[in-house]
Amino acid sequence: MTNRRVYLNHLGFLGAIALGAFLRFWHLDLKPLWMDEVITAIFSLGKNYHDLPLDVVFPLNRIPDIFTFQPGVSCVQIANNIATQSTHPPLFFCGMYRWMEWMTLLGNDWVTKLRSLPALFGVAAIAAIYWVNCIAFSRTSGIIAALLMAVSPFAVYLSQEARHYTFPMFLITLSLLLIMQIQQDIVQNKMRFWRWFLWVLISIIGFYTHYFFILAFIAEIATLSLLIYWNKIQKNIAVLYLIISSTSVFICFIPWVLTTLYHAQRSETNWLPTTGFIAPFYQTLINLVLMTISLPVENQSLRIMIICGLLMLIFAIWAGLITFKGLKHLWLQDTTHFATFTLISFTSFILLQCFAIAYLSGKDITAIPRYSFVYYPGICSLLAASICHGQKTKINSEKQTLFFIFVGLLSSIFVVYNLSFQKPFMPEKVALNMNLEPSLPLMLVVTYENYQDVALGISFALALEKIRSQTSASDSFVALQKSPSLSAVWIKLSQLSVTIKSQLNLWIVAPGIRRRDYPQKLMLSGNDCTIDSKNYYRIGVPYQLYRCSNGTR
């Protein structure tokens, strides 16, 4: 490789990193926190659900005080909180706690701090996918893969979520990098212990980061098994390496196995939709499309939805034809056949497991686009290789790469401004609806059966406090438990101690109930509250306005 090519290669790699970092850290605090991010914040700050204000009236302007850092909390304590109150492995939350501890000196913008670590892992994944394709195909393919991930609306969306998706995605990419190296060792009749050791180490970390990492690990075992079977040389040694490595990972996860089984049975997993007959197939196709293009179709006018939907469909068909043609070419070339097989096998085995979970458990994980992070590195690598090596001329490859980058960049801008991959339950829209009369004091009530409902209510309260912080100091928030039934909420509401000077807007968020379940009249601290039938909304959950008065003018 000439000095000029080396220089251009380094420039392309650094450009991809810079572009990816800019998109991921751009307006990181623009979008409101949604329910899952509130949950992340609670555990990452060293707290748990018992630290939340439950069944008591809490001033709305003090909601941000809930998210203060709790010093002196160990990883063991965080793991215990996660084990008993969540449904995830603990490692990400321990890392987030240390990150928030280091960031305490950098001002009060805790939302940016909370999202900055996932954004950083999103940038690291770009570097990792570059090396995957460098090893598997070529440096040019590596640059294209890095650029595709840098501008991927799906990857940008995950990176701006204060959740544990980019960290396991980064680990899966690193793991895939080692699998590509091990694949080459198997083909070349070489066994390097340190590669297997690193694969085991990364896999152990992955197991304690996200349960879905297990799907990637099983897919890698299956892929390596096939590679070993078809390459007869030193077959026994390779099998021994695989058995020892995979067994070591599973043994290291034994301390958390009982907790994993407990988490699988918790009610917090019941929100997943039931599996339709063919739904997993077309939902997976949609998820694949969203990795490269995502135009505004959510909560838009019918005209915009049709136009954007058609553009996405046309682009998806074009991209699919390019990918199929490129993969066919890569498969038929001796120099790229095994690398292509490894990536296709890895991705296919993950998808098969996703379908198996959907159909056997009845919980359709393919309906949730963010869960596609498990196989996204494989898709990104294959797409880049198809563009780079599957075209007749270098000029065609460059034009297609530029078009993919343009479409991805435009889509990522929509993601950053919350026009695409919108936050679930849309806290900002809920807050705007509730703030219909800024001059009147307001009370937000959320009924809850579990702590997820509380986190949802707090996400609404955070968005509401942000737009009302300058207008009212008498606003309040309260979370009331629906136990033993919904009627208990109305009784608790009547017993609250709330001062109403003249009028008050009472908003009740009640997950799981129907519109007709809202009473026509309620009592709040002895004051009458009448339902306003014109101000009923449902965005995932219902919320209803009541107008309260103390009877004086």
Side-chain angles (χ1 to χ4, degrees), residues 422-433:
Q422 293 181 342
K423 296 293 185 182
F425 305 107
M426 303 181 68
E428 76 291 348
K429 186 172 183 179
V430 171
L432 288 173
N433 289 339

Side-chain angles (χ1 to χ4, degrees), residues 359-378:
Y359 284 111
L360 296 179
S361 71
K363 297 178 179 179
D364 192 359
I365 62 174
T366 66
I368 315 302
R370 60 183 180 271
Y371 291 162
S372 305
F373 77 87
V374 188
Y375 56 86
Y376 171 67

Side-chain angles (χ1 to χ4, degrees), residues 25-183:
F25 285 92
W26 186 28
H27 292 315
L28 201 54
D29 63 341
L30 179 65
K31 291 170 281 190
L33 292 182
W34 71 287
M35 178 183 71
D36 281 13
E37 291 182 297
V38 169
I39 294 172
T40 298
I42 291 168
F43 294 117
S44 299
L45 292 168
K47 299 184 177 182
N48 57 51
Y49 290 135
H50 300 309
D51 296 313
L52 301 180
L54 302 178
D55 298 289
V56 294
V57 179
F58 195 79
L60 189 66
N61 59 10
R62 286 186 54 201
I63 286 291
D65 295 344
I66 297 173
F67 301 95
T68 54
F69 183 77
Q70 182 71 35
V73 180
S74 68
C75 185
V76 173
Q77 291 172 290
I78 294 173
N80 184 62
N81 291 336
I82 295 295
T84 56
Q85 297 185 354
S86 185
T87 57
H88 302 289
L91 192 57
F92 171 79
F93 298 94
C94 290
M96 278 289 287
Y97 177 79
R98 294 304 171 195
W99 178 260
M100 296 300 287
E101 184 178 37
W102 296 333
M103 299 287 281
T104 52
L105 300 176
L106 301 180
N108 298 319
D109 189 2
W110 62 276
V111 174
T112 298
K113 296 176 187 177
L114 193 70
R115 288 173 172 163
S116 59
L117 185 59
L120 194 61
F121 282 124
V123 176
I126 298 172
I129 200 67
Y130 166 79
W131 285 110
V132 169
N133 275 45
C134 282
I135 291 171
F137 302 104
S138 68
R139 290 186 178 272
T140 303
S141 175
I143 292 174
I144 294 176
L147 286 169
L148 291 178
M149 183 175 284
V151 301
S152 166
F154 174 72
V156 171
Y157 151 66
L158 290 185
S159 299
Q160 291 200 326
E161 286 269 291
R163 292 295 285 166
H164 53 341
Y165 300 124
T166 53
F167 185 31
M169 188 173 79
F170 169 60
L171 293 173
I172 289 170
T173 311
L174 287 181
S175 181
L176 189 58
L177 168 63
L178 289 165
I179 290 297
M180 299 308 301
Q181 292 178 319
I182 292 172
Q183 169 259 313

